[in-house]
Amino acid sequence: MQDNPTPIPLWRQLQGAASLLMAVRDGQSMTAALEDVDAALRPGVQSLGFHTLRWLGRAEALRQQLAKRPPPPEADALLCVALALIWTEHDAPYTAHTLVDQAVEAAKRGDATQHQASFINGCLRRFLRERDDLVARSEKSPQAVWNHPQWWIDRVRKDHPGQWQAILQANNSRAPLILRVNERKTTQAQYLLALSAVNIAATPVGKQGVILASAQPVPSLPGFAEGHFSVQDAAAQLAAPLLLEGLNTGDGQGARPRILDACAAPGGKTAHLLELADCEVTALDIDARRCTRIAQNLGRLGLQAHIEVADAGRPQDWWDGQPYDGILLDAPCTASGIVRRHPDVRWLRRPTDIAQLAGIQAHLLQALWPLLKPGGRLLYCTCSVFRAEGDNQIQTFVAHHTDALLMPSPGHLLPQSGAEATVFPDNLMREHDGFYYAILEKRNP
C-alpha cells in the first residue's frame, strides 16, 4: 500500500504565488511562469495566483495604505498575495489567522524576504485590526473597486457605456470548464448521460456545449481518449457554425468546400469545422510548436486537415492560387474578452497594444480578402471587447472594400457569468467569454 503524499504546506504555495505575481509584473504570462513551478506545487500555486490576479487592484490599494513606500519586490509580491486572499472575509479561502501565520512563515523561509518577515507580520496584523476602515478608504480607487488598470476601465466604459460595469464584474468571476461535444462521435444528450453516470454534474449550453458544475482534470473525463469532446468556451463554439451557414460550395457539383483557418492554433475551430461539415480545411499558423498541437488535437478527435506553418499575412509564401469558399480569421488580439480565464491579461497589456494589434488585424484582413471566391464568406473574430478590434475594424474595412458585404452578424458578445442571458439565434447562452464576430460576403464583381 502506498502512503498518502505529505500535504504541501501553505507557506510554500504562497511563495509560489508571489513568484507568479513577480513574473507577471515583469511582463511574463502566468501560463509561462507556471511552467517553472514544481509539478506537485502547480495546482495550489495556480489557484492562489488566479485569486491574487483577480483582486490585485484591491490588494495594491491596501498595501499602499499599509506601507507608503513599497518594500522590496519579493516582499511586496508576498504581501499583495496575502492581502488579496484576506481582504474580504466572505471569499477568503483560508482563515485570517492561518493566512497571516503562513505568509510570515513564507517570508522567513525565503532568501529575499527573510529580513522582511516582521514587516509583513506587522502589515497583515494591522490590516486585520483596521480592516473595515482600510477597505472603505480603498473604495475611493476605481482600480481597487474594479481590479483592472485605470486605462482599461476607461476604455471599456467608453466602448460600452451601458454595460461597462457588468463587463468588469464578469471579468472577476471564475470561468467554468466548458466542453464542445464532437457530433461525429456522440451527441450533447448522450454525453451529458455519460457524465451523469460517473457523478459529474453538467448542463447544456448552445447546441453542442456542456458546462461542468465544477472543474475536473480533462484527461480523466469520459471519452477523452476516444475524442468525444474538446475544451472550448461557448462563445468560441459559434465560429464554425457561423462560417458554414450559407457557405457557397463553388461549382454546384457537390465539391467539398475549401476553407482556410488562418490563425488556427491550437485547432479548436479547425476541429469544429471538420466535425460539422465535409470540407477541405487548411489550418495555418505561424508557430511550428503550436501547429504540432493542432495535429495532436485533430488526431485525438479522429479528424484530418492540411496543416501548414506559415504567416497568414504573407499569402505569397504559401497560397496555391486556388481561391477559398470560406476563410476563418481568428485574429491576434488583446484577449480582453477572456480575462475570466486569463486574469493576468489585464495587468500585462498596455494601452498602446490595442492600436498595434488593430494594425495586425487590418493587415491580415487586407492580405486574406483576395484569396476568397466571389460569393464566399470570411468570418472575422477576436476574443476582445474593445471596439477598435471589432466594430471599428470591420466598418473601416467595409468602407474601403466595395466588394465586401457585412452580413447579419453577432457583433460584440460581452462576457456573461451566468447571471444575465444573451439571446443568440434560438440559443439562450448564460455563460460565455467576450467575443466579436463579423461575417463578410464577397460580392460578385
Side-chain angles (χ1 to χ4, degrees), residues 45-291:
V45 168
Q46 178 173 326
S47 177
L48 295 180
F50 266 58
H51 191 105
T52 299
L53 291 162
R54 284 195 185 100
W55 303 112
L56 184 59
R58 180 75 68 173
E60 288 182 339
L62 293 169
R63 200 276 298 146
Q64 285 164 15
Q65 292 184 65
L66 294 165
K68 299 300 181 192
R69 288 174 54 197
E74 295 84 359
D76 186 56
L78 182 57
L79 184 54
C80 284
V81 167
L83 288 167
L85 290 165
I86 62 167
W87 80 272
T88 175
E89 286 178 287
H90 96 92
D91 198 31
Y94 301 97
T95 66
H97 172 77
T98 300
L99 214 294
V100 172
D101 176 70
Q102 291 295 289
V104 173
E105 190 67 21
K108 286 178 180 173
R109 291 174 179 259
D111 293 339
T113 52
Q114 55 187 339
H115 298 302
Q116 301 290 325
S118 60
F119 164 77
I120 287 172
N121 184 46
C123 284
L124 293 176
R125 293 195 181 282
R126 182 188 155 200
F127 171 75
L128 292 180
R129 286 195 308 271
E130 303 174 24
R131 185 202 307 252
D132 292 347
D133 181 47
L134 291 166
V135 169
R137 273 191 272 162
S138 73
E139 288 286 322
K140 295 173 186 171
S141 160
Q143 292 192 166
V145 173
W146 299 110
N147 290 285
H148 287 69
Q150 187 64 52
W151 72 265
W152 189 301
I153 298 168
D154 295 342
R155 187 76 182 221
V156 173
R157 192 171 188 168
K158 176 173 170 282
D159 282 359
H160 304 283
Q163 299 97 1
W164 68 275
Q165 292 170 309
I167 293 169
L168 297 175
Q169 278 173 337
N171 284 353
N172 290 330
S173 65
R174 294 183 182 88
L177 179 60
I178 303 182
L179 312 178
R180 185 193 74 239
V181 172
N182 179 0
E183 288 193 338
R184 289 191 180 253
K185 305 260 187 172
T186 185
T187 66
Q188 187 184 54
Q190 287 170 340
Y191 194 68
L192 285 165
L193 286 173
L195 290 172
S196 178
V198 290
N199 297 317
I200 295 175
T203 51
V205 61
K207 291 182 177 174
Q208 289 169 268
V210 170
I211 303 177
L212 272 60
S214 58
Q216 308 281 337
V218 173
S220 70
L221 291 170
F224 173 77
E226 296 80 10
H228 288 190
F229 68 86
S230 300
V231 175
Q232 190 179 46
D233 183 75
Q237 291 185 31
L238 299 174
L242 282 169
L243 180 60
L244 291 169
E245 188 181 348
L247 197 66
N248 180 5
T249 57
D251 61 8
Q253 303 299 311
R256 297 163 75 210
R258 291 185 82 237
I259 297 177
L260 172 68
D261 188 352
C263 302
K269 297 179 184 71
T270 305
H272 200 186
L273 288 165
L274 292 163
E275 288 167 15
L276 292 180
D278 183 21
C279 50
E280 185 186 311
V281 179
T282 297
L284 201 73
D285 203 88
I286 199 167
D287 187 322
R289 284 178 307 172
R290 283 163 61 81
C291 280

Side-chain angles (χ1 to χ4, degrees), residues 343-409:
D344 53 335
V345 165
R346 67 190 105 174
W347 309 113
L348 290 167
R349 288 283 173 226
R350 299 290 174 263
T352 50
D353 292 345
I354 301 174
Q356 183 191 354
L357 285 157
I360 293 169
Q361 293 151 12
H363 170 70
L364 287 168
L365 279 165
Q366 188 77 20
L368 295 172
W369 187 245
L371 280 56
L372 191 64
K373 280 182 185 174
R377 288 187 168 196
L378 182 148
L379 178 67
Y380 170 83
C381 57
T382 61
C383 53
S384 175
V385 297
F386 296 142
R387 291 200 180 277
E389 302 179 281
D391 279 348
N392 298 357
Q393 184 72 261
I394 290 301
Q395 293 301 335
T396 301
F397 182 81
V398 170
H400 289 89
H401 294 79
T402 53
D403 60 344
L405 178 65
L406 178 59
M407 304 297 287
S409 304

